[in-house]
Amino acid sequence: MSGLDEIIHQSTRLRIMAALQVMKKDEWIEFMHLKALIGASDGNLGAHLETLSKAGYIESSKQIVGKKPLTRIRPTPAGRAAYAGHVAALRALLGM
């Protein structure tokens, strides 16, 4: 067991990573959709995405569509592995 991942362990980041795990390998999710899924504000979600990005757990793509910004997010292979390790550590801690 590698232990709990302190970056993922924070509740909002855990919800973000859990939401991203159901996505296919090359699939992206739009910022607004992710925001609605996890119930976060723009600023809160943006700050947590920045932390996950700095850790190498997610990548993002920013574009302007019409006159509106479009930000898309997806997990990296390192992020998927870190999430799986965190979940395994939680299960071991809980005796599951």
Side-chain angles (χ1 to χ4, degrees):
M1 178 175 80
S2 62
L4 297 174
D5 186 308
E6 289 300 317
I7 293 170
I8 294 175
H9 192 67
Q10 195 281 338
S11 64
T12 301
R13 292 191 292 267
L14 181 58
R15 288 194 315 267
I16 291 168
M17 293 304 292
L20 296 178
Q21 295 312 301
V22 299
M23 297 169 50
K24 295 176 183 157
K25 183 179 177 188
D26 294 322
E27 189 177 10
W28 296 83
I29 187 170
E30 291 183 15
F31 181 93
M32 297 303 284
H33 186 205
L34 182 58
K35 176 184 149 182
L37 277 176
I38 67 165
S41 67
D42 286 353
N44 189 266
L45 179 56
H48 288 295
L49 290 175
E50 181 68 23
T51 299
L52 291 167
S53 179
K54 285 181 181 177
Y57 292 174
I58 64 159
E59 62 181 316
S60 62
S61 166
K62 297 182 181 196
Q63 309 171 350
I64 301 296
V65 177
K67 293 186 178 185
K68 295 183 179 184
L70 174 66
T71 301
R72 300 179 315 150
I73 299 104
R74 70 178 174 189
T76 63
R80 288 184 185 276
Y83 177 79
H86 185 75
V87 169
L90 286 172
R91 286 186 173 141
L93 183 66
L94 297 171
M96 299 175 81

